[in-house]
Amino acid sequence: MSEEYASDMSGFATANPEKVKLFKQFYSSLRYSLKKAHPSKIVLFLVCLSATVNFVRPQDLPGLSFIGAIRLPIIIATITALFWLPHAQKNISKPIKLILVLLGIQVIRGLLGAVDPSDYIIRNNSAHFFTFRNMAIQMIGLHLPIVACLACKQGLRVLSSVLVCIGLFLAFWGLTHAGTGPGGFVRDENDLCYVLLNLMPFTVLYMATSDRAIIRLFNLLAFAAMFAGVVSTVSRGGMLGFAALGIFLFLRSDKKPLFILIGIVGALVAVPILPDEFKDELFSIQTDVGDHSGTVKKRTDLWNITWLAFKDPRHTPFGVGMRNIGRWIPDYDPEAGSASAGQKWGRAVHSLYFQIMGDLGLAGLILIGLSVWMVFRSNMLIEKRFKKVLRALKYFSKENTAALNRDYGASPDEVRALLKTLKKEGLYICKFAVALNTALVGGMAAAVGISVLYYPVMWMVIAISVAFSFYAQNLLDRVQQLYAFLEGKSPTGYS
């Protein structure tokens, strides 16, 4: 009889049978929760399909206009919502509640505006209604299903992989169509750039965590393609977002020297091949800012007008209504009554922050700001906690292994496999948290000069963050249960 086998048998001989059974349940439950099996494959498929339809816009691709004619995107959203309904109350945490409160306010505003003869509550009822309708469809057909049904290993992995593929498609589309997207909210160059910045961090996630060289290489090429797509848009706001994205990634990196080396090599390769149009547009920022001219002047003029509308006590609490601030611009323009003021009617304010301020007022600023801050802070805390978990697992002693063998009948092979699983998943969670916050930082920086409030991008990142937080907490509970065994406790309730 081998020494290791004898040790294993000795553990079973001395361990309490109830404790052996308890550890086996724990081990089996953990393996089940991490294996490649989603609790509802149809919901996972529908969520990925809904995300693809939302971002790829197949109805706007050449030869596929019939998709729009039969309203396939709405049909897919409706079917997804039907499968989500049985899980509707699951994982509704504070960030989601704040968003739902915001939407509830807009429902009340829309109803009051419909019967207001003065059009003071809402000047353009149609814009408010259709904007709310589109957001509601996005929520029940994509974001809320993500929250309720993707708080698991496979759900998060499959969706994030799909988002990488979507980003790759949009990047190639932009490169072959002068920096523009297929249509809808990704048609404009700035908007396409904004979407790419939100999807790029998921390529970094798989470069940092995958065991397979082919997957790391694929995601490296996807990152390069998305960067090229960003460049093709010639978006100055996009480059601001990319700079913020890069700085945040550097600050959160565990391998800063390697990060600097890759950055230098990347710059040496990219700078000589950057198009002159991009360089001229980028360096024109200094001139526009210094002279307060060009695009900078046009946008700051709109921001000043939006600020005046926001300061009006009638609009400060709740704004002027969804997608309505453009209808109020002539009223607050210092040149009110002039031809130039009239030309600004209906214009976008070209800033996420001023768009919230004008359309949704102080309530929007507070509710959206808190929602974004909560998920950002949650992701930071998850990263911090799992770094501690990884350090603890790294120094898991032989004495601990022996204790599990002696008291719970766990063989050394089982303990090694358990630690390997927890380490791998802990690393993935750390990097996923960084990827989500990088998407928020890059996207929110780029949104300084783009009106993207009603696009599905920011809301989807929030939804994924909420689902992710529940999965991370589930795994953290498992780690705590492991150490509870060592402390002689008997945790129960494995799910």
Side-chain angles (χ1 to χ4, degrees):
M1 181 182 293
S2 70
E3 183 178 344
E4 184 175 359
Y5 180 75
S7 174
D8 292 349
M9 294 306 294
S10 173
F12 276 107
T14 59
N16 183 304
E18 287 299 320
K19 288 187 175 182
V20 173
K21 180 180 179 182
L22 192 63
F23 187 84
K24 292 293 183 184
Q25 288 176 341
F26 163 75
Y27 189 62
S28 299
S29 174
L30 176 63
R31 293 184 63 183
Y32 177 79
S33 67
L34 294 179
K35 74 177 185 177
K36 295 181 179 179
H38 192 270
S40 176
K41 292 183 179 180
I42 184 64
V43 174
L44 177 57
F45 170 76
L46 288 171
V47 165
C48 292
L49 182 61
S50 184
T52 302
V53 169
N54 267 279
F55 287 85
V56 173
R57 309 282 306 180
Q59 64 271 30
D60 295 317
L61 299 180
L64 297 179
S65 58
F66 70 91
I67 292 178
I70 64 174
R71 301 292 189 268
L72 185 61
I74 294 179
I75 293 173
I76 292 172
T78 303
I79 295 172
T80 306
L82 289 175
F83 280 92
W84 156 75
L85 276 175
H87 313 279
Q89 310 224 349
K90 190 176 179 182
N91 299 342
I92 302 296
S93 60
K94 287 183 180 178
I96 299 301
K97 289 178 182 178
L98 293 174
I99 295 171
L100 294 178
V101 168
L102 179 65
L103 291 177
I105 292 172
Q106 303 317 309
V107 170
I108 295 171
R109 183 175 196 126
L111 293 173
L112 294 175
V115 297
D116 175 29
S118 67
D119 281 342
Y120 162 71
I121 296 177
I122 296 179
R123 180 164 287 184
N124 189 305
N125 292 287
S126 177
H128 181 89
F129 170 76
F130 284 107
T131 302
F132 173 82
R133 184 203 68 175
N134 292 340
M135 277 201 68
I137 290 173
Q138 291 171 16
M139 289 299 295
I140 66 173
L142 179 61
H143 309 316
L144 291 177
I146 288 174
V147 169
C149 303
L150 268 68
C152 60
K153 174 180 177 177
Q154 192 186 23
L156 293 169
R157 274 170 164 74
V158 171
L159 179 60
S160 56
S161 299
V162 168
L163 293 178
V164 169
C165 295
I166 290 172
L168 191 57
F169 170 82
L170 291 176
F172 281 122
W173 186 277
L175 286 167
T176 55
H177 291 79
T180 61
F185 74 92
V186 290
R187 183 184 297 279
D188 181 80
E189 296 93 333
N190 291 313
D191 298 335
L192 175 62
C193 184
Y194 169 74
V195 174
L196 290 174
L197 287 171
N198 278 272
L199 301 182
M200 287 176 75
F202 294 106
T203 65
V204 180
L205 164 68
Y206 288 105
M207 282 191 279
T209 61
S210 179
D211 293 332
R212 300 173 60 186
I214 186 67
I215 294 179
R216 293 197 299 271
L217 178 61
F218 173 82
N219 281 277
L220 175 61
L221 295 176
F223 181 89
M226 289 188 212
F227 174 73
V230 168
V231 171
S232 74
T233 66
V234 197
S235 170
R236 294 186 294 187
M239 289 313 297
L240 174 65
F242 184 78
L245 181 152
I247 292 170
F248 185 80
L249 269 180
F250 173 74
L251 293 175
R252 307 313 304 165
S253 173
D254 297 324
K255 300 176 181 178
K256 290 183 173 60
L258 178 61
F259 192 102
I260 293 172
L261 177 63
I262 293 174
I264 292 173
V265 172
L268 291 175
V269 172
V271 170
I273 62 176
L274 287 175
D276 293 336
E277 179 187 7
F278 177 81
K279 296 176 184 177
D280 294 342
E281 187 72 12
L282 186 61
F283 292 121
S284 68
I285 295 177
Q286 183 177 357
T287 302
D288 285 0
V289 172
D291 299 340
H292 191 60
S293 60
T295 304
V296 171
K297 181 179 184 307
K298 292 178 181 178
R299 296 195 175 180
T300 53
D301 285 348
L302 288 170
W303 297 348
N304 288 331
I305 294 170
T306 304
W307 173 247
L308 291 175
F310 174 74
K311 287 199 303 181
D312 187 331
R314 298 176 301 171
H315 305 314
T316 301
F318 301 106
V320 298
M322 302 179 85
R323 218 180 282 275
N324 261 247
I325 185 60
R327 277 76 178 176
W328 286 86
I329 284 177
D331 296 58
Y332 294 93
D333 193 330
E335 302 174 352
S338 67
S340 61
Q343 291 172 358
K344 296 172 187 174
W345 184 93
R347 292 279 300 276
V349 297
H350 294 290
S351 170
L352 167 68
Y353 307 100
F354 283 95
Q355 188 179 23
I356 296 172
M357 190 183 299
D359 281 359
L360 308 178
L362 191 61
L365 288 172
I366 293 173
L367 294 171
I368 295 174
L370 282 175
S371 181
V372 172
W373 168 246
M374 282 179 179
V375 297
F376 184 87
R377 183 173 178 273
S378 172
N379 292 334
M380 290 286 283
L381 288 174
I382 289 170
E383 180 196 4
K384 182 179 179 181
R385 287 169 181 165
F386 272 90
K387 281 186 174 180
K388 291 182 178 179
V389 166
L390 290 173
R391 284 195 295 270
L393 294 175
K394 182 179 179 180
Y395 296 105
F396 198 87
S397 66
K398 292 182 179 179
E399 289 77 10
N400 287 338
T401 301
L404 290 175
N405 174 252
R406 180 186 66 247
D407 298 333
Y408 295 93
S411 71
D413 286 342
E414 284 181 320
V415 176
R416 279 193 292 269
L418 176 62
L419 294 177
K420 182 179 179 181
T421 298
L422 291 174
K423 287 176 184 177
K424 182 177 180 180
E425 201 61 19
L427 175 64
Y428 184 82
I429 286 178
C430 279
K431 299 305 180 183
F432 206 117
V434 173
L436 288 170
N437 275 354
T438 303
L440 285 172
V441 169
M444 298 301 275
V448 167
I450 319 172
S451 296
V452 294
L453 175 60
Y454 305 114
Y455 299 170
V457 188
M458 178 180 71
W459 310 106
M460 185 188 69
V461 175
I462 291 173
I464 296 174
S465 296
V466 171
F468 168 70
S469 70
F470 281 95
Y471 175 62
Q473 184 59 53
N474 179 272
L475 190 68
L476 185 62
D477 290 343
R478 303 307 177 96
V479 176
Q480 291 172 342
Q481 288 166 1
L482 173 62
Y483 281 91
F485 283 121
L486 296 172
E487 295 171 4
K489 299 177 183 179
S490 298
T492 57
Y494 309 118
S495 57

